[in-house]
Amino acid sequence: VLAAQPAAVAAIMVLVFPKPTASLFFLLTLSCLWFGMSASVRELISDGVVWRRESALGLATSAWVGAKAVVLGGLVAGQCASLALLVSWLARDPDLGFSMPALVGASVLTGWTGVSIGLAVSAMWRQSEAAVGTIVLLLVPQIAFSGVLMSLDKMTDAAQWLATITPLRYAFHLTLRCGEQLAYLG
């Protein structure tokens, strides 16, 4: 399923946006964040018994969480890199001046941000259902405060402040800067 997700998501995205647009790259960025969050949101909960046993034997919590982050980070990096490459290949437009290494790098960094958020959510809950439900509560504000649906200058002061702590906003702007002309797409 992890291997099939990038291909399925890329196909849907390019079906809706056959030519590169800012909306296509927003969906790419959002998908990478979601890949990371969904991959990691259950990890600490499902291995709680193992962690307690290993913690009792002297394993540092940071080492255990670090190992989770490295393994999940590698899996998510593969997914995000595959998705970025597939989307850019399927919606190719040579006039945009893509830097493929930059686009892949931005996508992987976004995925790693998602892994971090997912692990933090996983640490907050003891039940997977609560953690998975929290993902929706975190993704919707990411979309709302990203500046894509409404420009930041038209938001209220409170919404503008919340936009400054929204990782998706920064990840999307980074993605747009991977192509020379992407910032001007509508």
Side-chain angles (χ1 to χ4, degrees), residues 22-172:
S23 297
L24 172 69
F25 290 99
F26 178 73
L27 279 178
L28 170 67
T29 308
L30 179 64
S31 297
C32 290
L33 187 70
W34 177 75
F35 282 168
M37 292 172 78
S38 65
S40 60
V41 74
R42 292 184 185 99
E43 281 300 308
L44 302 181
I45 297 166
S46 64
D47 287 351
V49 173
V50 174
W51 173 76
R52 283 188 283 284
R53 181 185 67 227
E54 291 182 6
S55 180
L57 295 172
L59 179 67
T61 302
S62 59
W64 187 68
V65 173
K68 291 282 184 190
V70 168
V71 171
L72 292 169
L75 292 171
V76 169
Q79 280 189 299
C80 294
S82 298
L83 180 63
L85 290 169
L86 284 168
V87 166
S88 63
W89 179 68
L90 292 171
R92 194 177 337 205
D93 188 343
D95 295 333
L96 294 176
F98 275 110
S99 167
M100 289 315 302
L103 183 62
V104 168
S107 298
V108 168
L109 286 173
T110 303
W112 287 344
T113 301
V115 168
S116 300
I117 294 169
L119 286 173
V121 168
S122 185
M124 291 173 34
W125 299 105
R126 290 195 181 269
Q127 295 179 347
S128 292
E129 295 80 15
V132 171
T134 302
I135 293 296
V136 174
L137 296 175
L138 293 174
L139 279 177
V140 170
Q142 295 289 325
I143 297 165
F145 299 123
S146 68
V148 171
L149 301 176
M150 177 183 284
S151 70
L152 295 175
D153 59 344
K154 293 181 181 175
M155 291 183 185
T156 64
D157 290 341
Q160 286 179 12
W161 181 84
L162 288 168
T164 64
I165 60 171
T166 304
L168 184 63
R169 173 182 168 221
Y170 297 105
F172 176 55

